[in-house]
Amino acid sequence: MGIFDFVKQGTQEMCIARPDPAKQFIVYKHPDQTVPAYAQLTVDSDECAVFFKDGRVVGILGPGRHTMQSSNIPFLGNIVDKFTGGNLFIAEVFFVKTAPVRGCKFGGTLADLEDPMTGLIVSPRIFGEFAVQVVDPATFVVQYVGQAAAGDNDQVLDWIKGQFMLGARTVIGQICDQEQISIIKTAALTKQIGDRFLRECPELASCGLRVVQMGMFNLNFSPEDLAELKKFQSVLAEKKRDIAVAKLDVQAGTFEGQAAAARQQAVMDQKFQNDSRYVQQLAGNYNNYAVGQAMIGAGQGMATGEGGGGAGMMGAQMAAGMAMGGAMGRGMYGQGAGPAQVPQFTPMGPGGGPGAGGPYYFSGQAGQQGPFANAQMLATALIQAMGPAAAGMTQVWAQGWDSWKPAGSVPEISQFLPAGAPPPPPPPPPPPPPPMVVETFHVQFTEGVIQVSGVGGLKEELNRRQANPDQVMIWKPGLPGWIPARQVIA
C-alpha cells in the first residue's frame, strides 16, 4: 500500500458523514460500527444522527460538525471500547431526515367500517397526497428499521403510507361517531378530515411521524356500497319525517287544547263580570243574587212540570224554600257585598236566648242596615261590616229606644264584641228614629216567594189566592224556620 492510499484510507476513517448518493434517503445507516476517537462527525442541516448500542438509543446529535471525544459529547462515554484504550467507540449510527417529505401520494381501500347510522359494513376508498415529517427520530428508527439496514425511499414511503391508511381509518371512524353522521356524508367533510389528519393521526404518531400538510384528496365508495347507503339513508329520512310530523301533531293538539281552555276561561270571566255587575246593581249582595238565581231555577223547573206533584212537589218546595230562606237570612247582615262566609245563627224570638230583643239596626258606611233579630246577630254583622276595632263605635238603634247609641255602650250587644275595643267617641247628633217596624212575612207560592206586611196582609193574600193556610209555608225573622201559615193566622 502506497503512502497516498494510507492517507486516503485514514482520512475516510476519521470523517463520518452521509455519502452524497444517499443524501435523498429518509434514513441512512452508517456501515461501520466502529468510530475512531477524535473522528469528525458531520450532520447536515436537515437531519440528525442517532446512536444505538445493544438495542437502545444512547444519544442524538443535531446538525453541525462534532468531534468524537467524550469530553465534548458526554454520552460517548457509554459506548467507548475499553480494550482499545479508549481510542474507539462502538455504536450504530443512523442519519435521519428531519425536513418534511412532500408529495407523498397515497390511495386505496380502507379496511371495513361499520356505518354508525345504518349499521352497514362498507369499505370506503381514499386518494390524495400529504407531506410527512420525522419528529421523533429515535422512535422512527426503532419502529421502522429495527436497527436493520435501511432501504431506499420507496420502501420507507410505502411503509409510511401503510401507517397513514390505518390512521385515516381511525380518524374517519372517530368523526362519524362523534358527529353522529353516516360515512356517506364524510365525503363532503374533506376540510374537517384534513384538519384532523394534521392534528392527530394515531398510527403515524406512534412511529415518530407527523402529517404536516394535506393535499387534495377525496373519499368515495364502490357502486354497491353507495347504493346500499343511499337506500338506508332514504329510509332513515322517511322515519325522521314521520317523527317530525308526529311532534307537530302533538304540538298542534296542545295548542288547540290551550286555545279551548282560553276560550272557556274567557266565557267564565265574562259571566263573572256580568254576575258582579248584577250583584252590585240589582241584588245588593251575592247572597241575595244567589237566592234570586235559585228562585229562577225553581220556577223554570216548575214551568216544565219536572219533579212531579202532590206531596212530593210540596216537599221539594219546602226544601227549596228553607234553603232560600236561610240564604236570605244570611243576606240580611247588610246590603253591600257580603263576607266570604257568614256565620250561621238560629233566629230567636223574645226570651229565646242571649241578646233577645230587637229587632236592631245600625248605621254604617252603606247606610242604615237591619233589622237583626237579636243582639248576637247584630254584633256579628257589625264586626263583619265595620271591623273589630270600629264595631263598638258604630251607632245602633232598637225599637223602643229614644235615640241612637254606640254599640259598645249597650251591654246586651257589647258582650258579643271583641274585648279591648277602644271606648266609643261622643255620639253624633242622632238621626230621626226609623218608623215603626211592621212584621214582614216571606210567603212561598208555586210561582215563587213573595213578601207581605203583617198578619193582616198575609190573610188578605191567602184569601185572594184562595190558598190553603195548611199548605202555604211562611217565614219571618225570629222564627226557627219555615212554618205553615195556619200557625200565624190561627
Side-chain angles (χ1 to χ4, degrees):
M1 177 185 295
I3 186 64
F4 292 105
D5 292 334
F6 173 79
V7 174
K8 180 179 180 182
Q9 183 66 29
T11 302
Q12 290 177 348
E13 292 177 354
M14 297 298 292
C15 295
I16 301 173
R18 180 196 293 255
D20 291 339
K23 291 289 187 183
Q24 75 277 15
F25 290 168
I26 296 175
V27 57
Y28 168 78
K29 181 181 179 181
H30 183 63
D32 193 353
Q33 296 186 17
T34 60
V35 179
Y38 300 99
Q40 297 295 311
L41 176 71
T42 302
V43 182
D44 291 341
S45 60
D46 61 348
E47 64 180 359
C48 67
V50 184
F51 289 75
F52 279 85
K53 184 176 182 180
D54 298 331
R56 61 185 181 86
V57 177
V58 294
I60 300 176
L61 295 178
R65 177 173 293 181
H66 307 276
T67 300
M68 304 303 292
Q69 185 179 6
S70 58
S71 60
N72 295 332
I73 305 173
F75 72 79
L76 294 179
N78 297 325
I79 60 175
V80 66
D81 185 7
K82 298 180 180 179
F83 295 101
T84 63
N87 293 322
L88 288 178
F89 301 101
I90 307 300
E92 296 172 311
V93 182
F94 291 85
F95 292 88
V96 181
K97 287 282 188 183
T98 56
V101 179
R102 306 184 185 277
C104 300
K105 298 184 181 297
F106 67 93
T109 302
L110 298 176
D112 291 343
L113 288 174
E114 180 181 357
D115 184 75
M117 301 303 295
T118 64
L120 292 175
I121 303 299
V122 295
S123 299
R125 300 179 300 187
I126 187 170
F127 299 90
E129 66 177 40
F130 63 89
V132 68
Q133 182 179 16
V134 178
V135 292
D136 188 345
T139 301
F140 172 71
V141 172
V142 171
Q143 291 293 326
Y144 172 60
V145 299
Q147 301 182 40
D152 59 19
N153 274 1
D154 291 339
Q155 293 176 331
V156 177
L157 289 176
D158 287 344
W159 179 80
I160 292 176
K161 292 174 184 179
Q163 297 300 310
F164 176 82
M165 293 295 285
L166 293 177
R169 179 183 184 277
T170 302
V171 168
I172 292 174
Q174 289 175 349
I175 290 177
C176 292
D177 288 338
Q178 293 171 2
E179 301 293 336
Q180 284 299 296
I181 59 175
S182 174
I183 293 178
I184 193 173
K185 293 186 178 180
T186 59
L189 301 178
T190 55
K191 184 179 186 305
Q192 292 89 326
I193 296 175
D195 292 342
R196 184 69 70 88
F197 285 155
L198 296 179
R199 293 197 308 272
E200 54 182 286
C201 193
E203 278 68 17
L204 289 182
S206 65
C207 298
L209 299 167
R210 180 169 64 91
V211 177
V212 295
Q213 185 179 5
M214 286 299 303
M216 294 298 297
F217 73 94
N218 65 82
L219 185 71
N220 54 48
F221 303 87
S222 67
E224 296 79 9
D225 287 348
L226 186 60
E228 287 295 318
L229 287 171
K230 287 185 175 180
K231 175 182 176 181
F232 275 82
Q233 286 294 316
S234 177
V235 174
L236 289 177
E238 183 177 354
K239 296 299 182 183
K240 289 181 179 179
R241 287 194 296 269
D242 292 342
I243 294 174
V245 170
K247 289 182 178 179
L248 290 175
D249 290 342
V250 172
Q251 293 176 355
T254 302
F255 293 153
E256 183 177 353
Q258 292 175 347
R263 290 193 295 269
Q264 183 178 3
Q265 185 64 43
V267 172
M268 294 173 63
D269 291 345
Q270 183 64 36
K271 184 177 184 304
F272 176 79
Q273 294 176 1
N274 292 338
D275 289 350
S276 300
R277 185 168 64 252
Y278 296 153
V279 167
Q280 295 297 327
Q281 298 180 1
L282 302 178
N285 61 45
Y286 192 80
N287 290 327
N288 295 344
Y289 174 71
V291 171
Q293 292 291 314
M295 293 171 60
I296 292 173
Q300 292 174 347
M302 295 173 184
T304 58
E306 297 178 356
M313 174 62 74
M314 183 176 70
Q317 293 175 359
M318 290 176 63
M322 292 177 68
M324 291 185 289
M328 289 180 181
R330 292 189 297 270
M332 286 184 180
Y333 291 149
Q335 300 300 321
Q341 293 184 352
V342 179
Q344 303 294 318
F345 297 99
T346 301
M348 298 183 181
Y360 295 94
Y361 298 81
F362 75 86
S363 179
Q365 297 177 352
Q368 180 176 303
Q369 306 290 322
F372 299 94
N374 55 52
Q376 185 177 4
M377 296 176 65
L378 171 64
T380 302
L382 285 172
I383 294 172
Q384 294 176 346
M386 308 303 294
M393 297 183 290
T394 305
Q395 298 293 313
V396 298
W397 183 85
Q399 186 173 347
W401 294 2
D402 56 359
S403 64
W404 292 78
K405 302 178 182 180
S409 66
V410 181
E412 63 190 65
I413 300 174
S414 62
Q415 63 177 326
F416 300 110
L417 296 177
M436 294 296 293
V437 177
V438 179
E439 292 181 321
T440 298
F441 289 93
H442 300 266
V443 188
Q444 181 182 11
F445 291 106
T446 302
E447 67 274 14
V449 178
I450 67 172
Q451 296 182 1
V452 297
S453 299
V455 177
L458 175 61
K459 291 181 178 180
E460 180 180 353
E461 186 66 25
L462 291 174
N463 292 333
R464 186 177 70 81
R465 293 173 178 263
Q466 297 182 353
N468 186 350
D470 293 322
Q471 297 182 354
V472 176
M473 306 299 293
I474 64 171
W475 177 86
K476 73 178 183 68
L479 292 179
W482 290 80
I483 61 174
R486 175 71 69 187
Q487 298 183 16
V488 176
I489 64 177

